[in-house]
Amino acid sequence: MNKSNNLRDFFQEDISFIDDHQAVLNVSILDRLYPSLEKLRVDFGYILLVDIFGQDLSALSTQASSDKPFQVTYVLLNMEYHHRIRVNVFVDLDSGDVLPSVTGLWPCAKWCEVEASEMFGIAFGDSSKLRLLTKNDLQGYPLRKSFKFSDEQCGRSSLEKNSQELFSTDHIKEKYKKNFIDEFSIGPIHPAMKGAMMLHLQVEGDDIIQSKLEVGFLHRAIEKSVESKRYSQIIGLTDRLNYFSSASNNVGWTKAVEELVGLEISDRAKAMRMVVCELARITDHAQCIGSMAQGAKILESFEITLKIRKIIFSLFEQLCGARVTHGITRIGGMAYELPNGWSNDCLLDLKQVSKYVDEIESYLTKNTLWMDKLATASLKAYDAISWGITGPNLRACGVNYDIRKVSPYYFYEDVDFKIPLGINGDSYDRYLVRLEEIRQSVKIITQVLDSLPPGKMLSDDLVTELDLSLLGFKSDAGEIYSMTEAPNGELGFYIRSDSQVCPYRVKIRPPSFFSAQAFPSLLEGVRVADAMVSLSSMNIVAGELDR
């Protein structure tokens, strides 16, 4: 099958190919949108919906479709050919344009559509005007260019929710009409949650019947604020996405900007970005396993994960002066040269990390209490793909998909490492995959540091030539979608530039957003006592979920 030719034959001049891995399809007639998306999914194999997002193009100097100032973009992935396609459609909200909902094709589209609706006022199908990330009584649409915040609009409205909004009870009452049904909520602050979230449960005895995960308590409007910040200033904001592995966010952002402007960084900088990303993966996975062990009351393993994180934090502190939020990259390379002896210290410390991983395995992997408690929240491979789940939560379902392997960047294709896979897609498999990924990250770092290229982390000539300083850097007009394999899965950055010092539009594709949306569907029949361990196994981080 010739993917490019088949797509070009069907969509003709409406499709353009960026490179071997990305294409853009512009749908000019609204009625053709759903059939085109269905065709892409069913006939062309774009089975994973990566994201849906809106844009307000009214202030864009190059906007040609002024009669339709809003654009909605669908990002789709063909997992067999590792090919992504962006489908664009222009809408005129003043004329009452309504887009078809695609939840029938991809269940994960629901939250994406709700977000686009609350941020831009874009209507999808007959769905009601729901709120996901913003307060219920917010007036206006925050990501429109004309929107201005007022003091009254800041803050979160009441946490109290009407139970009828949370659960559909008719079929539940019929199924459990002779039993007692209770409802209660956990959160928004709870030790097992990586930030503020609220889990609403409907239970019969000790078994969960239905659940809803309420998010938005940590929404900080990052995608709005970056519109008034320079590209280099945004690096510090990415630290606050997944705050357990901020270096991987730094790399994801600067990689996207460099792809936007066609900037090639030094081999030494590429290698060090791999090192800091894998260090971040180790501490992120250790934190996830530690939360699971704490929830299961196996405190010896929890304490070992703290020791692993302490080692990695110390390495980052030696490298950049910060233990948690690093700001470790720069557009064009890395922010810091290696301190003397850091590579040797890192290799020695990683040997200790490997010993700690073996200890965790001896405590947990064959522990019957642990295995019983984690034999919950099972997710089938087909359902995981339908929910847009990526990363270790997808690989725990047996799906062999890792961006570092299938669409390698930097030197990942030159290092030897394996992709661990699960079988049942349950909490136990998610633990096994993350534990083995720590070992593989150690293996990657060791290979990279053993053959670290010479040179500078950030070339002085490059900075002078392209004016990469904080105040002077500009990008030519254009757009890019760039992705990396972050600890929780695909972290994507869409950037549109209007030749200004600040980006025109940035859309962040956080992996936790899709895991969080799928999580309630996994809890039916799970014991209440195991719910928080199951949540910890998904490693949903509120910071990157809410943005």
Side-chain angles (χ1 to χ4, degrees):
M1 174 184 175
N2 189 309
K3 157 182 55 65
S4 299
N5 287 344
N6 286 346
L7 285 169
R8 191 174 279 114
D9 289 344
F10 186 80
F11 293 107
Q12 299 179 3
E13 70 275 3
D14 292 331
I15 193 168
S16 58
F17 289 86
I18 301 172
D19 52 36
D20 291 339
H21 301 288
Q22 294 194 60
V24 175
L25 171 65
N26 292 310
V27 178
S28 56
I29 300 176
L30 194 58
D31 289 343
R32 293 180 182 172
L33 176 63
Y34 191 92
S36 297
L37 294 171
E38 187 175 31
K39 187 78 174 178
L40 286 169
R41 187 192 190 286
V42 176
D43 294 342
F44 290 105
Y46 289 87
I47 59 175
L48 193 145
L49 174 67
V50 177
D51 205 356
I52 303 174
F53 56 90
Q55 295 187 70
D56 178 358
L57 304 182
S58 60
L60 192 63
S61 60
T62 58
Q63 169 61 6
S65 300
S66 57
D67 57 324
K68 292 189 175 183
F70 291 90
Q71 175 184 315
V72 176
T73 299
Y74 299 76
V75 184
L76 310 178
L77 170 63
N78 182 312
M79 301 181 74
E80 181 181 1
Y81 292 99
H82 322 308
H83 192 268
R84 285 168 174 75
I85 187 169
R86 296 200 304 271
V87 181
N88 299 322
V89 61
F90 295 95
V91 293
D92 180 11
L93 301 182
D94 292 336
S95 299
D97 282 352
V98 177
L99 295 177
S101 174
V102 294
T103 54
L105 298 175
W106 299 281
C108 64
K110 181 177 180 180
W111 276 18
C112 299
E113 292 174 354
V114 171
E115 182 181 0
S117 177
E118 69 177 327
M119 296 298 175
F120 292 96
I122 299 168
F124 293 85
D126 298 325
S127 60
S128 59
K129 300 294 183 180
L130 302 174
R131 290 288 182 182
L132 181 70
L133 299 178
T134 59
K135 57 187 254 183
N136 295 336
D137 55 354
L138 179 68
Q139 299 298 313
Y141 302 103
L143 287 184
R144 289 191 182 185
K145 293 298 182 179
S146 59
F147 181 84
K148 302 295 182 183
F149 274 109
S150 64
D151 293 339
E152 292 76 14
Q153 289 176 324
C154 297
R156 176 84 177 175
S157 55
S158 172
L159 302 183
E160 295 297 326
K161 292 288 186 180
N162 187 301
S163 61
Q164 294 300 320
E165 297 178 11
L166 293 172
F167 299 113
S168 174
T169 58
D170 292 342
H171 73 285
I172 293 296
K173 289 180 179 179
E174 179 65 25
K175 183 177 180 180
Y176 295 91
K177 58 186 176 182
K178 294 183 179 180
N179 299 324
F180 177 73
I181 299 176
D182 194 13
E183 296 178 3
F184 63 94
S185 301
I186 302 173
I189 304 299
H190 187 279
M193 293 179 177
K194 284 79 171 178
M197 295 176 281
M198 183 173 282
L199 182 63
H200 304 278
L201 298 175
Q202 191 176 64
V203 302
E204 191 275 319
D206 191 39
D207 295 327
I208 298 172
I209 300 172
Q210 289 190 99
S211 64
K212 297 288 182 181
L213 189 63
E214 186 182 356
V215 302
F217 298 101
L218 281 184
H219 184 57
R220 294 149 294 166
I222 288 179
E223 292 175 7
K224 182 70 173 180
S225 64
V226 299
E227 295 176 3
S228 59
K229 295 188 180 299
R230 301 173 190 271
Y231 287 91
S232 294
Q233 292 176 308
I234 297 170
I235 296 172
L237 293 181
T238 64
D239 281 333
R240 277 77 181 170
L241 295 174
N242 185 345
Y243 27 69
F244 297 109
S245 52
S246 64
S248 60
N249 310 326
N250 301 157
V251 170
W253 169 251
T254 49
K255 175 177 175 288
V257 176
E258 289 153 3
E259 289 179 6
L260 177 67
V261 300
L263 176 61
E264 187 74 15
I265 65 175
S266 70
D267 287 349
R268 188 174 180 85
K270 292 177 183 177
M272 274 310 298
R273 285 188 181 183
M274 290 175 62
V275 170
V276 299
C277 281
E278 296 309 317
L279 289 174
R281 196 180 315 276
I282 290 171
T283 187
D284 196 279
H285 286 355
Q287 178 276 139
C288 176
I289 294 171
S291 295
M292 297 166 67
Q294 186 181 34
K297 302 297 187 292
I298 305 178
L299 299 183
E300 298 91 343
S301 297
F302 170 67
E303 291 170 357
I304 295 172
T305 63
L306 293 180
K307 293 178 182 178
I308 293 176
R309 296 181 66 202
K310 183 178 179 180
I311 288 174
I312 305 302
F313 288 162
S314 295
L315 288 170
F316 273 116
E317 186 176 25
Q318 295 171 42
L319 186 59
C320 65
R323 295 173 69 83
V324 180
T325 52
H326 306 123
I328 204 166
T329 62
R330 293 293 181 268
I331 298 170
M334 299 291 291
Y336 307 97
E337 295 290 341
L338 283 183
N340 291 334
W342 188 89
S343 292
N344 289 333
D345 291 344
C346 182
L347 292 172
L348 289 174
D349 287 343
L350 290 179
K351 291 180 180 179
Q352 184 60 52
V353 168
S354 297
K355 292 179 181 178
Y356 283 146
V357 171
D358 292 340
E359 283 189 47
I360 293 173
E361 186 172 49
S362 67
Y363 276 117
L364 296 180
T365 301
K366 298 300 182 181
N367 185 321
T368 54
L369 171 64
W370 177 254
M371 296 174 69
D372 178 63
K373 203 167 188 65
L374 269 63
T376 59
S378 180
L379 184 61
K380 295 180 180 179
Y382 177 85
D383 293 330
I385 294 171
S386 297
W387 283 112
I389 291 175
T390 56
N393 291 339
L394 177 63
R395 293 189 283 274
C397 305
V399 180
N400 189 357
Y401 201 87
D402 188 310
I403 295 173
R404 296 172 297 171
K405 282 285 190 183
V406 300
S407 300
Y409 49 97
Y410 301 147
F411 298 118
Y412 277 111
E413 61 185 338
D414 299 322
V415 295
D416 177 34
F417 68 103
K418 297 179 181 178
I419 304 299
L421 302 175
I423 299 174
N424 301 312
D426 57 9
S427 299
Y428 184 68
D429 276 349
R430 289 189 279 274
Y431 150 74
L432 289 176
V433 166
R434 283 186 169 87
L435 191 70
E436 183 56 31
E437 284 195 1
I438 293 177
R439 291 192 173 105
Q440 297 303 314
S441 290
V442 170
K443 187 176 180 181
I444 292 171
I445 296 169
T446 301
Q447 293 175 74
V448 173
L449 290 181
D450 282 344
S451 56
L452 192 64
K456 290 187 175 182
M457 295 295 185
L458 183 63
S459 170
D460 294 334
D461 294 338
L462 192 65
V463 172
T464 303
E465 178 185 353
L466 296 180
D467 196 5
L468 296 180
S469 65
L470 178 64
L471 298 178
F473 175 70
K474 289 184 180 181
S475 164
D476 293 336
E479 56 182 328
I480 190 73
Y481 176 80
S482 176
M483 65 284 178
T484 55
E485 184 66 37
N488 280 334
E490 178 168 332
L491 174 63
F493 287 96
Y494 169 85
I495 308 174
R496 179 187 283 269
S497 169
D498 192 25
S499 302
Q500 302 300 315
V501 294
C502 303
Y504 184 87
R505 169 76 166 112
V506 171
K507 176 62 174 70
I508 303 169
R509 193 273 182 196
S512 286
F513 187 84
F514 296 87
S515 293
Q517 186 177 186
F519 176 69
S521 67
L522 310 183
L523 284 188
E524 184 174 355
V526 174
R527 295 173 297 179
V528 174
D530 297 335
M532 301 314 294
V533 174
S534 299
L535 180 61
S536 295
S537 76
M538 298 290 285
N539 204 34
I540 298 167
V541 181
E544 69 171 16
L545 189 165
D546 291 346
R547 288 152 284 141

